[in-house]
Amino acid sequence: MNATPGPLPTRRLILQGAACVALIGLGNLPFGSESAHAAANDKYPEDAFKQKSQADAIKSLYGRPAEPSDKIKLDAPEIAENGGVVPISVTTTLDKVTSISFLVAENPNALAASYRIPEGTIPTVANRLKMAKTTNVLVLVEADGKLFSATKEVKVTVGGCGG
C-alpha cells in the first residue's frame, strides 16, 4: 500500500494564487482613475533632492515657507545610536494632506524623503533616515494648500552619512 499523499501544490500554482489575490485586492483601493492618472503625472522633485540647504530644498519643492503647527506629531529619538538608520515617523490631524517631506539640516543634501499623499489616505509616514551628525529634523506637511512644519533635534552618536 502506498501512503503517499496526492500531488502537492507547485510553486507555479502558489504564485498564480498570490497574483490573483493581489489583483483582486487592488480593486478595493480608494483611487479613482483621476487620482491614479494625477499620481502618474506627478514629476519626481529631482531638483529639490539636490539642494544642500533646507531653505533651498523647501523653495524648490514647495515655493513657499512653512508655518509651525501643533497638529503635526513628529516621532524621532532624542539620541540615535546609529546615524545610519534613524527611525522617524509623522502623523497629523490636519485635513486634506497632499504631501509629507522630511529634511535633515546637516546632511549633504537636505531633503531626505518626500511623499505624495493620495486623497482619502491616512496621513501617516514612517521612514529610517541616514543622518550625518546631530541636527534638526524638519517635517513639512502640505495640507489644504498651506504648508506646515514640525522640528525635532536628534543627537547622533555613531555612524551616519559621513562616518
Side-chain angles (χ1 to χ4, degrees):
M1 198 184 283
N2 189 353
T4 307
L8 297 175
T10 64
R11 181 174 180 251
R12 181 172 292 162
L13 285 173
I14 292 170
L15 291 174
Q16 286 173 342
C20 190
V21 168
L23 288 175
I24 290 169
L26 288 176
N28 295 327
L29 290 176
F31 307 120
S33 60
E34 291 175 10
S35 297
H37 180 70
N41 288 330
D42 275 345
K43 289 180 67 177
Y44 176 76
E46 185 174 347
D47 188 53
F49 277 103
K50 292 179 180 178
Q51 301 303 316
K52 303 298 180 198
S53 74
Q54 282 187 339
D56 290 341
I58 294 168
K59 184 178 179 183
S60 177
L61 193 59
Y62 295 105
R64 62 189 183 277
E67 63 182 75
S69 174
D70 59 355
K71 292 184 176 187
I72 300 170
K73 182 179 182 276
L74 174 59
D75 188 23
E78 287 186 31
I79 299 174
E81 294 181 15
N82 181 356
V85 287
V86 181
I88 307 281
S89 66
V90 64
T91 58
T92 182
T93 57
L94 292 166
D95 290 328
K96 300 180 183 176
V97 173
T98 55
S99 73
I100 297 175
S101 300
F102 295 97
L103 292 96
V104 182
E106 294 295 327
N107 274 5
N109 296 84
L111 182 59
S114 186
Y115 300 91
R116 293 283 173 211
I117 308 298
E119 186 177 337
T121 304
I122 296 172
T124 299
V125 176
N127 203 335
R128 293 184 184 270
L129 302 180
K130 193 169 189 178
M131 296 180 63
K133 55 186 170 181
T134 298
T135 189
N136 285 331
V137 173
L138 173 70
V139 66
L140 299 172
V141 176
E142 187 178 32
D144 200 19
K146 297 177 184 168
L147 193 60
F148 302 96
S149 67
T151 305
K152 183 171 183 178
E153 182 183 56
V154 178
K155 295 178 180 146
V156 177
T157 58
V158 178
C161 293

